[in-house]
Each structure stands twice: as structure tokens, then as C-alpha cells.
Amino acid sequence: MLNRFAADYLGTLGSADFTAAPRVSGRLSSYDGLLMEAVGLNLAVGTVCEVGGEGDARIEAEVIGFRNGRTLMMNLGGPAPLLPRAPVRPMGAPGEAEVGAAMLGRVVDGAGKPIDGLGPIRGAARWPLAGKLQSPLDRGRVLAPMDVGVRAINGLLTIGLGQRVGIMAGSGVGKSVLLGMMVRAAQADVIVIGLIGERSREVADFLETKVAGEARARSVVVAVPANHSPVLRIRGALRATAIAEAFRAEGKKVLLIMDSLTRVAHAGREIGLALGEPASARGYPPSAIAMLPNLIERAGADAHGTGSITAIYTVLADGDDGNDPVVDSARSILDGHIVLSRQLAERGVYPAIDIGPSVSRVMNDIVSKPHAKAARVLRRHLATYEENRDLVLMGAYRAGTDAAIDNAIAAHPAVMEYIRQDYDSAVPIDMAVDELVGVFGTDA
């Protein structure tokens, strides 16, 4: 026994690569259920710590800042019966995400832990959570359309490979339903889905109804419901983007879905207010809004390879306010936005896409001239009809008074029929273009 101890343990201590290191530990000085303060530590922002003693009274927390010589941490778990001066020990910096083919078909949480009951993830590669900084010239142009299976989007708001698009609407108008239609029909090598800050029920529903069958095998889901820590919600968004970046680096055509970008901003608001930042734009501290460009700009096409990330973000317009700070900021950064109308939804038009204020900023670069012309004609008819809708419905307009209004009234049934689509159907982009050009391509 003594000889084995000397050979194994003492032999290890005598090896040239052994370096003794102290075990760093601090003490918990305050805790209000979310924000913690610890003394006796000198750790970098982003370090994950274990707080608490033996048994179940232990939780994980992430360092988010410093104040008056104390380390500020945010709770990553649920409530725990912590005591004053509980030990705080660093567990390591969460600087990387598991990526690669080993992630396909898996569901993970904001910390990267699998929650699908399929066991641990083995053989995954690593990628920085914050991404790898790129030059603007490393981003390729958007030159090819992407089929998403939705007729109104394929024909009137054509999305390109490498484009970043926002779906903007109030609550309950059909953002998640539209996402499901796009996920099932999207022509992409890999689908990365970030369900950030949504209801827990929607996670299981999304997996069972929208990512079922063949799409599940080529998808990765990062699920962080609304009852999770704001730090985990932000980390979930970063993790989903990092996974998409790694697949893009392999030359894959990736579809990144994030539902929703607004919940990520809400998490940033919680952290910013907890750190004492002043609330500026409708309760949002500057850091919450400034975080959005850093996240969105990581998507796009690769100028030096064949890979691309086509990103679709849902943006919740609080109170149906199109000038909400998150909506306004996202609209200025994204390459296009699809606006859903509550009025159309109330009329039974699904998907309730409001064509007028919606736009794809790359459409003219990726579609043919007859396609673009037919789309303009449909838009003109719809805009003319909506401007004079009240006159027409009240019977105050006399036919023959204005040719443009007469044409808009005649074309309106065809316009609404083109926008409508059943939830469980998919319309390929070629069919959508043929229908559009066939009906509206002959108009002046």
C-alpha cells in the first residue's frame, strides 16, 4: 500500500509539469434572489461560480460586474436556501459553446446541457460564445434566393441566403405559426433554433409540431424559457448564434431562427437595471439596446466560402407599438422586416402579413425583372385599395371615377388569395413566382 502511494501520488508531485495552485474561494455578502455580491474574489466577467455549501443548497452564478471592491454575480438557477457568508468558488469561464455534427437533433439549455433525455453530447467541437470578430469585407453579398415555403414571402418579400430578417408583431398575431411554416419548408443544410424567453409549453409544442420528422434530424434547438435567469437567456442567444457560426465555417447553409429578439433585450434590461444603469428609452438601459447589433451582425454570408447564416428573428412589438425601442433598433440593423397585422388576423387572413410596411432590402438583387415588376403591381393595387377602403365599403365611391381605384377593387380578391395560405401547406418559390407573374405580370 505504501509503495503504491509513493509511486502514484508522490511520483505525480515530482513530475516536471506539476504546478501547485491555490483553491480560490470568497464569501457571499448579499443576495436578493437574483443579484449577488461576493467579497474576497478577483474574477473576470463571465466566470461561472458555485455558491453555497454542501448538499442541495448550492447554485451557479455568473460574474457580471464589480462595485466598491465587491464582485457582482447573477443567479443562473432557481431559489436556494443560501446563508450569509456562504462560500463562493469559481468553476471556470463560460467562453465556449459545443458545436458541430454531434449537436444535430439535440436540445440544450442556455448552459449547453442537454435537456432531451438522450444522454450527454459526445464528440462536439468548441466555438467562442461571443463569436470570432470579422472584417466587413469577410461578409459576402446576398445573391441567391432562399425558399421558405410561404407564398407571400417567396413572391413579395423574397429572402436571400445570408439575409437577416425580422418578423415584427404584437402578441398573439401569429409569429410562431409563421416561423413553423418556414422551418418545415426551408431549404437549408442545418436549422438552428433559439427559443429564448418564451413559454415553457411552447418549447415542447415547437418540437412536436414544427421541428418534427426530417427537419428534426438536421436541427439544433437551444431552449431557455421565460422563467430562467436573464443571464441564461442571453447566453442561450449567444449559444445558438455560435452553433450557427460553426456550421457556416464548415460551408453549410444555415437557417438561424430566434424567438424572440425582444426577450433577449428584456434580459439585458434586467441585468442593466440590476447593475444600476439609468433607464433611458422606455425603461431600457443603453446596454440592452447596444447588445442587439453585436448579436445580429454575427449572421450573414461568408465571402471566402460557401457557408451562410440566414437569420430570422421575431421581434415583439409591445402594445403593437411599431416605434418600440427594440423594434426600431432591430429594423435599422436587419436586412428586411416582415410586419404582421392584427387587423388582418382579425379578418381571418393568415399568415397576417401586412405587405405595405414590410420590405426585403435585398429582393431586387436576387429576383428577375418580371418577378420584381409583378410584385410592385400587387403592392400598388393593395396600397390603392387600403387608401380608399372606407369609401368603397360605405358605397361612397362610384365605379369609373378613377381607373387606378377600379383596377385595385377588381384585383383585391386575387391579392388576398395570394397572401392567404394554410398553415400545413408549403408553396415552393418557383410556384409562388409563377402565380405572381401570371396574375399581375401583365398589368401596366
Side-chain angles (χ1 to χ4, degrees), residues 10 37 67 86 141 147 163 194 202 205 232 247-248 250 271 288 306 437:
L10 296 181
E37 294 187 7
R67 181 188 296 148
R141 293 183 60 202
D147 187 0
Q163 185 176 359
E202 287 191 342
D205 180 74
L232 277 180
F247 281 115
R248 177 180 61 187
E250 297 177 3
I271 295 175
T306 58
V437 175

Side-chain angles (χ1 to χ4, degrees), residues 8-9 18 66 89 108 110-111 116 118 161 169 191 202 239 245 248 269 272 281 290 304 318-319 321-322 354 387 406:
D8 296 343
Y9 180 70
F18 175 79
F66 314 98
R89 301 184 180 92
V108 299
D116 50 11
L118 300 179
L161 290 171
I191 303 172
E202 287 191 342
R239 187 173 299 277
E245 285 178 318
R248 177 180 61 187
R269 177 173 61 185
H304 308 296
D318 290 331
D321 184 5
D354 193 350
E387 287 174 2
D406 291 339

Side-chain angles (χ1 to χ4, degrees), residues 8-19:
D8 296 343
Y9 180 70
L10 296 181
T12 302
L13 293 179
S15 62
D17 59 351
F18 175 79
T19 304

